[in-house]
Amino acid sequence: MLFRRIPFEEWGLKSVPSLKKKDQEAVLSSAEKGTGEGQGTETAEKVEVMYPRLYQSLCNTPLLETIKSLAEGRRDLHRSRRNWSLIAMPLTTPFALLPVIPNLPFFYVTFRAWSHHRALSGIQHINHLVEHSLLRPTPSPTLDSLYTLGLLHPTRSSARQNSLPDATNEQSEAMARDVKGQIESGPGKQEVMLLHGWNGKLIAERLELPGLEVEIERAVEQVEKSIKTDKEEVNRDQLITDMKAQNNTPQPSNAMHIAEGKEAGQVRDRGPLYDNARPGK
């Protein structure tokens, strides 16, 4: 249960292997032989980044910028939490004196320190790849098809059908246009889920990456919860705003009601006089 609360971004960064010193030295050596910016890295092996082109085009941020911001945005966070976890480790040692009960707090903070350190290693590797232009974005029609299948069959029962036919390019383009319409349907940009939890099974099987299923399920669960929380906060803020506006609406004072009542009474008192003064009476 505690593992599912760890942000999916952290799990993703941890999955990036640590940068080997020999690989770093090879890139730097190649760069020194180049005479201009970007030269000298052509001989270095580039890392292919597959992405769904039709759905990535819906984002305002280019793919490489997204990868860079993910790494840069979480570097200080993981460094700070790693250091705090290291500080907390000695503080949990007294729990080891308790009989029978294992020192769970110590094991947990130790794991969190290691986890944040692994995420920092992944960030270092990503920054190295970005700085030396060693990432090669590659549009993947397969991912476009898998994303489209998930949107066309948004049920878990469909995931059990291993013989689902691939979506055609026309279906993918039509679905991407539909998603774009949903995003732009209301005031501002609307959040639209492109994946469901069960899509992890389908994507992992087609790409032959078994570990990817759990990663996708975890990410979808956390994003869905975040979107739900954001919507609840927006609705709550709107309700508070409406209540304040209602309370600030001018209301007739008691003095006005009294004055209106007196005036009405005077009119009623004068009624018989006017009746008696009418002609024919």
Side-chain angles (χ1 to χ4, degrees):
M1 184 63 180
L2 291 176
F3 287 171
R4 299 192 72 86
R5 297 178 59 183
I6 297 177
F8 69 91
E9 297 95 337
E10 181 177 332
W11 286 102
L13 292 172
K14 284 164 50 178
S15 67
V16 178
S18 301
L19 178 62
K20 296 180 180 179
K21 187 175 181 180
K22 63 177 183 179
D23 295 336
Q24 187 176 7
E25 292 176 349
V27 172
L28 295 177
S29 176
S30 300
E32 290 176 356
K33 297 177 182 178
T35 58
E37 183 179 357
Q39 297 184 7
T41 59
E42 290 82 357
T43 58
E45 183 179 359
K46 293 192 175 184
V47 177
E48 185 180 30
V49 182
M50 300 173 59
Y51 68 97
R53 177 184 61 83
L54 293 175
Y55 296 98
Q56 173 62 29
S57 63
L58 301 176
C59 302
N60 296 326
T61 307
L63 178 63
L64 293 181
E65 288 296 325
T66 301
I67 296 175
K68 183 178 180 180
S69 63
L70 172 64
E72 291 293 334
R74 298 188 65 86
R75 180 173 54 186
D76 293 340
L77 171 69
H78 289 299
R79 180 183 293 113
S80 174
R81 293 189 176 180
R82 179 199 60 183
N83 294 340
W84 280 110
S85 296
L86 292 174
I87 293 174
M89 286 171 59
L91 302 179
T92 60
T93 52
F95 288 96
L97 301 177
L98 297 176
V100 181
I101 302 176
N103 193 352
L104 295 180
F106 175 79
F107 292 127
Y108 178 73
V109 295
T110 302
F111 168 76
R112 296 302 288 133
W114 170 83
S115 180
H116 290 301
H117 180 74
R118 283 295 308 275
L120 284 171
S121 298
I123 290 173
Q124 181 185 8
H125 198 167
I126 291 175
N127 287 335
H128 172 77
L129 296 175
V130 172
E131 290 174 0
H132 296 89
S133 303
L134 294 177
L135 293 178
R136 184 175 68 248
T138 305
S140 172
T142 301
L143 284 179
D144 280 327
S145 175
L146 293 174
Y147 271 62
T148 302
L149 286 176
L151 294 171
L152 289 174
H153 307 280
T155 59
R156 184 170 293 275
S157 59
S158 299
R160 297 172 182 170
Q161 301 176 9
N162 297 326
S163 58
L164 278 175
D166 291 340
T168 63
N169 188 54
E170 290 75 13
Q171 287 177 316
S172 298
E173 291 178 350
M175 183 58 67
R177 288 193 299 268
D178 183 63
V179 171
K180 183 178 180 180
Q182 296 179 42
I183 294 174
E184 299 175 350
S185 61
K189 295 293 185 179
Q190 304 298 313
E191 297 283 357
V192 178
M193 290 295 300
L194 297 178
L195 290 176
H196 300 281
W198 68 264
N199 295 143
K201 174 181 175 64
L202 183 62
I203 294 176
E205 289 178 350
R206 294 293 178 88
L207 299 182
E208 299 181 355
L209 297 171
L212 192 59
E213 178 180 357
V214 177
E215 299 292 342
I216 293 177
E217 290 179 352
R218 181 187 296 114
V220 170
E221 179 182 354
Q222 293 182 6
V223 172
E224 286 179 340
K225 184 177 180 180
S226 176
I227 292 177
K228 181 180 178 181
T229 302
D230 291 342
K231 288 183 177 179
E232 290 176 351
E233 291 180 356
V234 170
N235 293 335
R236 183 170 58 252
D237 293 341
Q238 184 63 41
L239 178 61
I240 294 175
T241 302
D242 294 341
M243 293 177 63
K244 288 182 178 180
Q246 185 177 2
N247 293 334
N248 292 334
T249 302
Q251 300 292 336
S253 62
N254 293 333
M256 292 177 62
H257 286 296
I258 295 173
E260 291 174 357
K262 289 183 177 180
E263 183 178 355
Q266 292 173 358
V267 172
R268 286 194 298 270
D269 292 342
R270 291 196 301 266
L273 298 177
Y274 286 116
D275 290 340
N276 295 332
R278 279 185 291 179
K281 291 290 183 178

